[in-house]
């Protein structure tokens, strides 16, 4: 069975929605998951978190700015590439890599790349499909060499020992490394989401199949008229989730003053973007899923979520943040404004449907049921949810009406409905059905199963000839 999650970013999978409001999830801060370093400022840390099977530990790769005590007189502030480790992905410590990772000019014990040839890096990409385990991790480094900005590509097996791939460049011109990489199974390629060129604060996508040749960047996300005045798109890390692609869209709310350096002050928060095909993106609600925090707290000025980890019972979101506004580097790193943060979100909890009062209901579009399971992510501890199954014509099937359904009250990531006589959805495998869902005083997050939304032509073929219907094309 190939389980799909029908999520509710829009009404793509619905033919009817009554008295159900679409709302954004609310990631919850995990204070013990934050990380500071007294000698470094990770305001632009861009953490990337992964589990390292060899060591049995979680590892977080990030960058941080040196305090002036580490910079020679007259020298400019620099970023370091760093790693911290954890037994649980929450409580972090800095390992001493002095002997394990020899390095000329090492500045800090947990540094993983030398200063020479390093400017900044964006979130690293953990490539589970890599043919060579030694190239499992890709690091998108930006470095301003004497001939201009370059974009060298580094690879690693563990995130600690890195190797430069000679002659490889992950971007045609080199940019501020607000960048992410991901595998796109529909295109059969790796896709990179990054700025089109230096200083161009929009998001483009381009692809590679071999990490040697890359297509030209194509703009996929830009500011529009619904954004705050003169807002910019600062970055958009992208992550596959279920059969969708989730984008953490960093919105830079610029200052109204234009001077020699445009848009130095201002705040950054995060809206939610999504894509069905990993190439064309759109936004969900125009409010932050990760808003700025209260004054004096990490994230009051800027927050940059850059890593997503799905555990058995939650979604973890790792971010870098600052208490000060954008370009706090013009201040003093010694102020310690930067911090790495951890938030948790319910599984499938990016968006949900909720009745504002009284019962709400929905009807899906026709679904080809290819498996024998229907699991519902629902939160209704003082409410009720019932499911009805109909044919494509919306006529309830015998034994599968609302009155036949044992109503659910409680909180479950995967509640499986049962109807009178012990009937389950499995008895309908192979059919084209619709699902009616009635919800009172609760939240609906997802419908999961081997459920394939059908195209109009596919439904017509199934109805007229019994031919197995094709799946709705979502490209």
């Amino acid at each position: 069975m190939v389980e799909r999650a029908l999520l509710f970013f829009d009404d793509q999978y619905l033919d009817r929605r009554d008295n159900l409001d679409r709302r954004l999830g609310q990631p919850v801060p995990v204070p013990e998951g934050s990380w500071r370093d007294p000698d470094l400022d990770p305001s632009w840390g861009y953490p990337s978190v992964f589990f390292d099977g060899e060591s049995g530990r979680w590892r977080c790769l990030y960058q941080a700015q040196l305090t002036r005590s580490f910079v020679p007189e007259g020298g400019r502030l620099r970023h370091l590439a760093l790693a911290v480790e954890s037994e649980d992905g929450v409580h972090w410590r800095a390992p001493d890599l002095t002997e394990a990772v020899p390095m000329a000019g090492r500045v800090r014990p947990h540094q993983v790349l030398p200063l020479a040839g390093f400017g900044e890096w964006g979130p690293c990409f953990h490539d589970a499909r890599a043919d060579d385990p030694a190239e499992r991790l890709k690091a998108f480094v930006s470095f301003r060499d004497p001939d201009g900005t370059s974009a060298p590509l580094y690879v690693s097996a563990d995130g600690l020992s890195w190797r430069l791939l000679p002659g490889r460049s992950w971007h045609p011109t080199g940019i501020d490394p607000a960048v992410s990489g991901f595998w796109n199974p529909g295109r059969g390629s790796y896709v990179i989401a990054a700025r089109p060129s230096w200083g161009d604060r929009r998001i483009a996508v381009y692809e590679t199949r071999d990490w040697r040749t890359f297509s030209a960047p194509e703009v996929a996300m830009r500011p529009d008229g619904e954004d705050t005045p003169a807002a910019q798109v600062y970055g958009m890390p992208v992550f596959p989730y279920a059969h969708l692609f989730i984008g953490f869209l960093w919105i830079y709310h610029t200052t109204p003053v234009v001077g020699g350096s445009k848009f130095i002050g201002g705040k950054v928060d995060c809206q939610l973007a999504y894509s069905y095909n990993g190439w064309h993106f759109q936004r969900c609600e125009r409010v932050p899923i990760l808003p700025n925090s209260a004054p004096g707290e990490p994230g009051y000025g800027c927050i940059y979520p850059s890593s997503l980890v799905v555990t058995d019972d939650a979604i973890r979101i790792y971010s870098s943040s600052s208490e000060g506004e954008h370009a706090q580097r013009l201040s003093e790193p010694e102020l310690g404004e930067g911090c790495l943060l951890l938030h948790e979100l319910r599984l499938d909890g990016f968006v949900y449907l909720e009745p504002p009062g009284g019962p709400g209901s929905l009807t899906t579009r026709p679904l080809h049921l290819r498996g024998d399971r229907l699991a519902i992510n629902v939160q209704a501890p003082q409410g009720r949810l019932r499911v009805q199954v109909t044919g494509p014509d919306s006529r309830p099937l015998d034994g599968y009406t609302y009155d036949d359904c044992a109503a659910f009250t409680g909180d479950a990531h995967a509640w499986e409905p049962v109807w009178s006589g012990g009937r389950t959805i499995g008895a309908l495998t192979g059919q084209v059905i619709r699902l009616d869902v009635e919800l009172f005083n609760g939240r609906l997050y997802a419908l999961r199963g081997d459920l394939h939304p059908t195209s109009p032509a596919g439904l017509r073929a199934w109805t007229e000839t019994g031919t197995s219907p094709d799946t709705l094309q979502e490209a």
Side-chain angles (χ1 to χ4, degrees):
M1 183 184 80
V2 180
E3 184 175 84
R4 294 170 59 89
L6 305 189
L7 305 174
F8 304 111
F9 287 81
D10 53 30
D11 290 346
Q12 169 82 344
Y13 302 125
L14 306 181
D15 275 346
R16 183 180 59 84
R17 175 166 61 93
D18 295 325
N19 199 40
L20 287 173
D21 291 342
R22 180 176 292 106
R23 294 174 178 166
L24 279 181
Q26 299 92 33
V28 178
V30 182
E32 59 269 31
S34 63
W35 172 257
R36 291 183 184 267
D37 188 309
D39 300 315
L40 300 164
D41 179 2
S43 294
W44 289 284
Y46 307 148
S48 44
V49 177
F50 65 97
F51 182 75
D52 178 57
E54 293 295 322
S55 65
R57 298 187 185 98
W58 290 90
R59 198 157 282 149
C60 173
L61 304 171
Y62 67 104
Q63 68 180 10
Q65 196 173 57
L66 286 165
T67 56
R68 295 187 187 277
S69 59
F70 288 92
V71 179
E73 185 174 353
R76 66 184 182 89
L77 295 174
R78 297 289 301 274
H79 279 94
L80 292 184
L82 304 154
V84 290
E85 295 181 334
S86 172
E87 301 297 326
D88 57 7
V90 177
H91 302 86
W92 300 99
R93 65 174 183 83
D96 188 341
L97 303 174
T98 304
E99 294 185 5
V101 185
M103 183 181 303
R106 175 179 289 279
V107 181
R108 298 294 292 146
H110 55 306
Q111 183 178 349
V112 296
L113 281 175
L115 277 174
F118 182 83
E120 295 184 72
W121 69 0
C124 299
F125 171 45
H126 186 272
D127 180 10
R129 302 182 72 262
D131 294 330
D132 184 352
E135 298 185 4
R136 183 179 296 118
L137 283 146
K138 274 80 172 175
F140 306 108
V141 173
S142 179
F143 174 62
R144 293 194 180 190
D145 61 21
D147 297 325
T149 302
S150 61
L153 183 65
Y154 285 77
V155 293
S156 173
D158 58 7
L160 304 180
S161 298
W162 292 89
R163 174 172 57 93
L164 174 66
L165 293 180
R168 311 284 186 90
S169 180
W170 58 268
H171 192 278
T173 62
I175 56 166
D176 253 1
V179 56
S180 72
F182 59 95
W183 171 251
N184 187 322
R187 299 181 71 89
S189 66
Y190 295 99
V191 175
I192 296 176
R195 297 179 182 179
S197 60
W198 188 266
D200 187 344
R201 288 176 178 158
R202 298 177 297 169
I203 299 301
V205 290
Y206 55 106
E207 61 188 340
T208 179
R209 290 176 172 82
D210 56 11
W211 296 101
R212 291 176 175 82
T213 59
F214 299 81
S215 66
E218 299 179 23
V219 173
M221 183 65 70
R222 67 183 73 213
D224 61 32
E226 293 190 32
D227 288 312
T228 51
Q232 296 183 337
V233 174
Y234 202 81
M236 189 180 71
V238 175
F239 307 93
Y241 184 88
H243 64 287
L244 296 176
F245 299 86
I246 306 299
F248 290 145
L249 187 64
W250 304 341
I251 300 295
Y252 178 20
H253 305 280
T254 62
T255 59
V257 178
V258 179
S261 296
K262 186 178 181 182
F263 301 140
I264 290 298
K267 296 186 175 185
V268 178
D269 58 26
C270 175
Q271 293 183 9
L272 187 65
Y274 66 101
S275 172
Y276 287 99
N277 63 5
W279 198 259
H280 304 101
F281 286 82
Q282 57 198 46
R283 299 195 220 180
C284 196
E285 304 299 301
R286 293 303 187 95
V287 295
I289 189 169
L290 276 176
N292 297 115
S293 57
E297 295 182 0
Y300 175 63
C302 303
I303 186 165
Y304 306 96
S306 58
S307 189
L308 182 149
V309 172
V310 180
T311 69
D312 291 339
D313 56 4
I315 297 169
R316 291 177 176 173
I317 302 171
Y318 298 87
S319 309
S320 53
S321 69
S322 67
E323 298 166 20
E325 292 187 12
H326 175 262
Q328 59 273 22
R329 63 180 172 78
L330 300 181
S331 181
E332 297 290 337
E334 284 78 5
L335 293 176
E337 295 180 357
C339 183
L340 303 187
L341 301 178
L342 169 60
H343 290 76
E344 284 195 346
L345 186 66
R346 181 189 181 93
L347 288 176
D348 303 330
F350 299 104
V351 294
Y352 58 88
L353 299 179
E354 181 176 34
S361 62
L362 63 80
T363 297
T364 68
R365 66 185 311 146
L367 307 170
H368 186 214
L369 178 63
R370 300 178 187 173
D372 59 0
R373 181 172 179 261
L374 171 63
I376 301 178
N377 192 335
V378 55
Q379 186 179 30
Q382 285 82 41
R384 184 182 74 168
L385 183 139
R386 298 190 300 172
V387 180
Q388 177 173 266
V389 185
T390 77
D393 58 4
S394 293
R395 295 179 183 177
L397 302 181
D398 290 342
Y400 287 90
T401 67
Y402 280 134
D403 291 337
D404 293 313
C405 182
F408 175 80
T409 296
D411 190 336
H413 291 139
W415 171 67
E416 298 186 28
V418 176
W419 290 267
S420 60
R423 291 182 178 87
T424 67
I425 200 75
L428 304 175
T429 299
Q431 296 191 35
V432 175
I433 61 172
R434 295 181 188 265
L435 297 174
D436 294 337
V437 179
E438 179 189 75
L439 175 63
F440 172 71
N441 201 38
R443 294 175 177 177
L444 176 63
Y445 294 92
L447 307 175
R448 284 183 173 266
D450 200 352
L451 305 166
H452 295 259
T454 63
S455 67
L459 177 59
R460 184 167 58 252
W462 184 84
T463 301
E464 296 175 354
T465 67
T467 303
S468 180
D470 60 355
T471 301
L472 177 73
Q473 293 298 310
E474 296 171 329

